[in-house]
Amino acid sequence: MIQNTKRNCPICNSKNKKLLFRQKFFPLSDGSLLTSYDVVVCETCGFCCADNIPEQTEFDIYYQEMSKYEYQDSGGKESEFDLMRFQIYLNTIKPYLPSTKSSILDVGCATGRLLSLFKESGYENIQGLDPSPVCCKVAAKLYGILVQTGNLWDVEIPEKSFDCIILSGVLEHIRDLDRALSILGNMLSDDGILFIDVPDASRFSMYSDAPFQQFSMEHINFFSPISLSNLVKHFGFFELLSLQESYPQSANTVSTSVMGIYKKVENLAPIYIVRDQLTQLDLTTYIKQSQKIEECIHQIINDVVNKASPILVWGTGTHTLRLMETSRLSQAKILAFIDSNHRYQGKKLFDIPIIAPDDIKNKHEPILISSRVFQESIKIQIRDILKLDNDIITLY
Ligand SMILES: [Zn+2]
């Protein structure tokens, strides 16, 4: 059994926290990282994060074993939306790099697509780091890019090795932010820069997603431009750039992020923490909105349960785990769950088998799509790719 522990504020080290929301998850049958966490706000600096969570080593094991970032289903290719975002990163970082000889490390690089854009732009001194061993093989095969398997704690990288370190969608996953920032500082050359992109928790309420989806099992830090700036300055970085960005995440959803470029500075003067008021305000609005949307979803699920006919449920991620815990979905006659991720196929959820999309070709039951972000693309997959005419039940 994984032990959950409380943590001090990763930015100002304060113990004073206020509970905003308790998020619950439903575990996969063979064990899971988390069954719940507390969304809290630091009463000193206003940083919002998940508390009562496992230690960093448990997260490390989880990412190594259950990597969802291998793009197995699409042969190692990212979506067009990822590509659009990577192009923005490239354009943002390039002006801060002195030459195409600059050495670049992408931490959590997945299959190396972002680095491949740098390579196409003439940068040769590039490498990646990712906890999943599959990413290393795929990056070498697709783009001829070196990716080390590991994480920040165990990788052997000499001090001052890189002129630029990229952390896109990484810091929101890390419990030990202080350790991470000091290791990154050591890896950077004297004039080195850090590029960071994280979800913008001060704008969660502005963009639609599934209710409470932002409080996913894997996202445990909820940054805003102010709190990200507080964090990096606390660890000796000078802010060169701070931006709020929005990107399409799928055909019908948008994600928001805070993006920044920071320079390592020796003996930086002591910094003053700026209190973040906005994140708590926005998360409170987001929680209320999510509760409202959830009421509508519960009504649709109640109708399915009351009909008492067998169904298939597409999706076994956080979205489904949450519905199994908080709605009557567990009382529906679910014949099977469908998931494209091969790591889940063959396992069981709630004692019900998880099968691959190809395995439903001879099944004629209605399919309930349990996803907001991928709802439209799953519909297309059912109708146009699998060519099935099963009834489709959508929640949004
Ligand atoms: Zn704090």
Side-chain angles (χ1 to χ4, degrees):
M1 185 66 194
I2 295 172
Q3 286 292 316
N4 291 346
T5 56
K6 290 196 181 283
R7 56 175 176 164
N8 289 355
C9 172
I11 295 177
C12 73
N13 207 31
S14 167
K15 282 191 175 69
N16 300 324
K17 292 164 284 189
K18 193 168 86 185
L19 180 70
L20 297 179
F21 184 70
R22 174 159 293 168
Q23 173 70 310
K24 285 184 187 166
F25 306 103
F26 193 87
L28 279 165
S29 59
D30 65 342
S32 185
L33 181 65
L34 278 172
T35 53
S36 71
Y37 66 50
D38 297 336
V39 179
V40 299
V41 56
C42 167
E43 297 202 88
T44 307
C45 76
F47 179 56
C48 294
C49 64
D51 198 15
N52 254 330
I53 53 171
E55 296 292 336
Q56 184 64 51
T57 43
E58 302 294 347
F59 284 97
D60 296 340
I61 294 167
Y62 171 81
Y63 286 117
Q64 202 176 347
E65 290 179 356
M66 295 296 279
S67 173
K68 282 190 269 174
Y69 306 108
E70 292 159 14
Y71 308 99
Q72 287 284 307
D73 307 311
S74 46
K77 295 269 185 251
E78 295 74 14
S79 72
E80 57 183 304
F81 303 106
D82 286 332
L83 201 54
M84 214 185 295
R85 191 161 48 88
F86 291 163
Q87 198 64 52
I88 295 173
Y89 294 164
L90 175 70
N91 295 342
T92 309
I93 297 169
K94 258 170 105 173
Y96 293 89
L97 295 176
S99 81
T100 50
K101 299 214 172 358
S102 301
S103 49
I104 301 168
L105 174 72
D106 184 4
V107 177
C109 64
T111 52
R113 186 69 180 103
L114 172 61
L115 286 172
S116 79
L117 296 185
F118 278 91
K119 194 175 174 182
E120 284 164 22
S121 292
Y123 294 88
E124 287 165 13
N125 201 351
I126 52 176
Q127 63 170 283
L129 173 67
D130 200 280
S132 160
V134 179
C135 290
C136 161
K137 287 183 198 150
V138 178
K141 193 177 128 197
L142 289 180
Y143 312 113
I145 287 170
L146 171 71
V147 173
Q148 288 201 55
T149 301
N151 54 50
L152 281 178
W153 334 115
D154 57 27
V155 72
E156 283 183 19
I157 289 180
E159 284 195 8
K160 303 188 178 184
S161 301
F162 292 98
D163 302 316
C164 171
I165 299 180
I166 298 169
L167 297 155
S168 130
V170 172
L171 287 190
E172 70 272 28
H173 298 258
I174 293 180
R175 174 176 172 139
D176 294 354
L177 287 169
D178 49 352
R179 260 168 83 205
L181 267 294
S182 87
I183 290 170
L184 291 161
N186 288 337
M187 286 180 181
L188 275 179
S189 64
D190 287 339
D191 288 321
I193 57 161
L194 203 54
F195 170 86
I196 299 175
D197 186 79
V198 286
D200 184 357
S202 69
R203 293 187 297 159
F204 279 173
S205 74
M206 286 170 61
Y207 297 91
S208 53
D209 198 339
F212 304 109
Q213 191 78 4
Q214 300 287 4
F215 303 144
S216 75
M217 206 181 286
E218 299 174 354
H219 288 190
I220 54 172
N221 300 309
F222 307 113
F223 289 104
S224 68
I226 294 169
S227 61
L228 181 62
S229 179
N230 281 336
L231 176 78
V232 291
K233 286 178 184 169
H234 188 70
F235 287 94
F237 289 89
F238 177 78
E239 186 172 276
L240 296 173
L241 179 78
S242 173
L243 294 171
Q244 287 180 296
E245 283 280 356
S246 305
Y247 324 101
Q249 187 187 12
S250 72
N252 59 341
T253 56
V254 170
S255 72
T256 63
S257 79
V258 186
M259 194 193 272
I261 294 185
Y262 313 91
K263 193 177 157 91
K264 196 169 91 170
V265 180
E266 298 291 341
N267 306 318
L268 195 69
I271 65 118
Y272 297 98
I273 284 177
V274 180
R275 194 182 152 94
D276 177 5
Q277 309 275 14
L278 288 179
T279 309
Q280 179 183 350
L281 263 178
D282 194 74
L283 286 189
T284 307
T285 308
Y286 172 72
I287 290 163
K288 280 187 194 147
Q289 278 175 358
S290 292
Q291 282 160 341
K292 249 189 176 169
I293 301 168
E294 204 162 57
E295 278 171 27
C296 301
I297 293 173
H298 286 184
Q299 194 51 54
I300 298 170
I301 290 174
N302 285 346
D303 293 345
V304 169
V305 172
N306 294 340
K307 265 191 191 161
S309 357
I311 56 161
L312 302 164
V313 174
W314 193 304
T316 60
T318 304
H319 191 271
T320 301
L321 300 184
R322 184 172 166 80
L323 286 180
M324 293 296 277
E325 176 79 3
T326 59
S327 80
R328 288 175 66 209
L329 185 61
S330 60
Q331 296 167 33
K333 285 192 180 164
I334 306 172
L335 289 188
F337 289 100
I338 307 154
D339 204 297
S340 308
N341 189 325
H342 73 115
R343 297 219 181 191
Y344 297 138
Q345 294 159 9
K347 293 191 173 166
K348 283 189 168 183
L349 180 64
F350 219 58
D351 228 19
I352 297 163
I354 302 173
I355 59 174
D358 278 341
D359 297 336
I360 57 169
K361 285 189 172 163
N362 298 317
K363 299 192 191 300
H364 305 285
E365 292 78 13
I367 301 167
L368 184 145
I369 300 178
S370 174
S371 173
R372 174 146 195 173
V373 174
F374 300 111
Q375 176 173 291
E376 296 312 307
S377 64
I378 292 170
K379 260 196 211 164
I380 292 169
Q381 197 174 348
I382 294 169
R383 290 282 184 258
D384 299 346
I385 299 170
L386 296 167
K387 309 240 180 263
L388 300 176
D389 59 2
N390 304 46
D391 284 338
I392 294 176
I393 305 162
T394 54
L395 301 175
Y396 301 95

